[in-house]
Amino acid sequence: MNLHEYQAKRLFAKEGVPIPHGDVASTPTQARAVARDLGGKVVVKAQVLTGGRGKAGGVKLANTPDEAEALARRILGMNIKGLTVRKVLIDEQSPGIQQEIYLAVLIDRARRLPMMMASAAGGMDIEEVAETAPEKIFRVHIDPNIGLRQYQTTYLASGMDLPQNLWPDFHKVAAGLYAAFLKNDASLAEINPLVITGAGKLMALDGKMSIDDNALYRHADLEEMRDVDEEPPAEQEARLSGVNYIQLDGEIGCMVNGAGLAMATMDIIKLFGGEPANFLDIGGGAKSDQVATALRIILSDPRVKAVLFNVFGGIVRGDEVARGIIEALSQIDASVPMVVRLLGTNAEEGLRILEEANMATATTLSEAAQKAVQLAKGVQR
């Protein structure tokens, strides 16, 4: 679950990370009131869950409350990369900026450890820095049993040529960011940019945070921060139904039980020349109603030209999956071909149900993937 900038920065501030004074507004009138309270010189920032807001015209400087109101009126309702701006953050302007720094904590999955990254090339996409000047990125891995140590932040500060008098403050900011990352079960906590102001102080001007969905049961307060308006409708329906679904750009819809099997299914589709249209894991104990919901979600994507079912029954039963497929097909107009590979618990019963409904089946995953790719090439939607 991704948080808006204002939400992330508030969580950072709870751990001692300095942020500008500001507040969020959903109307131009509210924006004017916030700007007035802040003295008039403010930044009006679109709150949408995507990058590139500044380039799209979603970040503007205002010098008076009237200007802030006018800019908010222009930005609210703006479409940025397919997302509608419904809120703006009104922050006080930083009194001069000497330097912009990138600072983030994320999970290094290869090392199975949290990792802190820092770069003096802040204020721009870190991917671009990694590609054009990788030597400007410095990394330290954090042992969760020990925590972030001062010698590690000293290494980062030294590598970035940060003025030595700011090293203690940099440690406090870095430690606060790591604390926010840890306490909120985040997979990413990012400040870009962390600036040195004209007064020689560090301040987090922007923030990003991604929360691990699997840990949200421990954070009712964070669950309430979810912006359902920014979720694709299909992903929202899947989440409410207990189905793990991520939309992709391909043409072959995938319904699989188990995340690892789902990844393998996507890989083998690509191996045979196709492109997966989604990642979809119905889970280990899916019932027929969940299967029906999952199929409706897959077919709601107009790019899908074929559907591949790959279900290995352990806890989930093959006959339940088959009934879910038949139930879904009775409720929707499905014009795309489908291939089912079904093994495991009650698989024979499930295959019998599917064969009675004249559905194509396959014994191996390779056979199923090849059939799906061939069928997709012959379909026009």
Side-chain angles (χ1 to χ4, degrees):
M1 183 185 80
N2 296 320
L3 299 183
H4 284 290
E5 173 194 353
Y6 75 94
Q7 296 168 325
K9 289 199 301 191
R10 287 173 180 175
L11 292 176
F12 297 165
K14 285 183 179 180
E15 306 304 328
V17 176
I19 66 172
H21 295 296
D23 205 352
V24 70
S26 54
T27 68
T29 303
Q30 291 176 355
R32 187 185 195 285
V34 175
R36 184 191 62 237
D37 293 342
L38 294 174
K41 285 184 168 293
V42 296
V43 187
V44 183
K45 309 176 78 174
Q47 296 299 284
V48 285
L49 297 175
T50 186
R53 294 174 299 165
K55 294 178 182 178
V59 179
K60 297 291 185 181
L61 296 177
N63 294 314
T64 67
D66 288 340
E67 283 186 28
E69 181 178 12
L71 289 171
R73 182 173 288 107
R74 188 187 311 168
I75 293 172
L76 288 166
M78 179 184 290
N79 185 292
I80 300 179
K81 295 185 179 179
L83 301 174
T84 301
V85 180
R86 293 183 170 84
K87 294 179 181 178
V88 289
L89 175 62
I90 312 298
D91 267 353
E92 63 182 355
Q93 291 187 25
S94 177
I97 296 175
Q98 297 181 24
Q99 185 179 347
E100 296 186 349
I101 297 164
Y102 176 90
L103 184 66
V105 185
L106 63 157
I107 299 294
D108 183 339
R109 300 189 184 280
R111 293 281 296 272
R112 302 180 182 180
L113 288 172
M115 178 176 69
M116 180 165 282
M117 293 174 53
S119 174
M124 59 189 294
D125 292 337
I126 195 65
E127 294 84 2
E128 183 178 340
V129 178
E131 184 175 343
T132 60
E135 71 281 358
K136 293 183 178 180
I137 300 177
F138 300 90
R139 303 171 177 84
V140 294
H141 289 86
I142 306 168
D143 184 335
N145 296 310
I146 300 174
L148 183 68
R149 313 310 296 171
Q150 190 152 3
Y151 75 86
Q152 293 178 305
T153 60
T154 297
Y155 164 76
L156 296 175
S158 174
M160 293 187 293
D161 292 325
L162 203 64
Q164 195 163 347
N165 65 299
L166 287 177
W167 289 7
D169 287 343
F170 178 75
H171 174 75
K172 291 177 183 177
V173 171
L177 185 65
Y178 178 64
F181 173 88
L182 205 61
K183 289 182 181 179
N184 295 288
D185 285 305
S187 56
L188 170 71
E190 177 185 282
I191 302 172
N192 188 23
L194 172 68
V195 302
I196 304 176
T197 69
K201 302 293 184 182
L202 292 173
M203 183 173 291
L205 293 195
D206 200 351
K208 180 188 293 186
M209 204 168 190
S210 298
I211 309 299
D212 185 346
D213 285 349
N214 294 313
L216 281 174
Y217 72 93
R218 292 199 288 254
H219 303 282
D221 55 330
L222 297 180
E223 177 66 43
E224 293 176 357
M225 294 183 184
R226 185 189 295 274
D227 189 343
V228 295
D229 291 333
E230 305 244 342
E231 279 186 308
E235 292 187 15
Q236 183 179 350
E237 182 182 0
R239 177 174 55 81
L240 295 174
S241 302
V243 174
N244 295 315
Y245 172 84
I246 299 173
Q247 191 171 36
L248 303 174
D249 297 326
E251 71 285 348
I252 299 177
C254 305
M255 185 189 299
V256 190
N257 66 316
L261 190 58
M263 296 298 290
T265 302
M266 293 163 63
D267 286 344
I268 202 163
I269 286 173
K270 291 179 72 70
L271 177 66
F272 289 115
E275 289 292 335
N278 62 270
F279 169 96
L280 192 149
D281 171 18
I282 59 173
K287 301 297 182 182
S288 59
D289 57 340
Q290 285 179 298
V291 174
T293 298
L295 184 55
R296 283 196 301 272
I297 292 169
I298 289 173
L299 294 177
S300 68
D301 183 352
R303 292 170 297 189
V304 171
K305 296 180 179 179
V307 178
L308 171 58
F309 300 86
N310 184 22
V311 177
F312 187 86
I315 300 174
V316 68
R317 289 165 37 191
D319 57 324
E320 283 278 2
V321 172
R323 290 190 182 94
I325 295 171
I326 302 304
E327 179 183 336
L329 292 176
S330 69
Q331 299 172 6
I332 56 180
D333 181 18
S335 58
V336 302
M338 302 181 188
V339 181
V340 184
R341 184 222 182 196
L342 195 59
L343 293 176
T345 306
N346 288 9
E348 292 182 1
E349 174 67 10
L351 289 171
R352 183 188 64 77
I353 293 171
L354 295 170
E355 287 169 0
E356 289 177 357
N358 296 317
M359 290 199 67
T361 60
T363 303
T364 67
L365 178 53
S366 293
E367 179 190 357
Q370 290 179 75
K371 282 186 177 181
V373 171
Q374 290 301 317
L375 289 169
K377 290 179 178 179
V379 172
Q380 300 291 329
R381 285 189 76 179

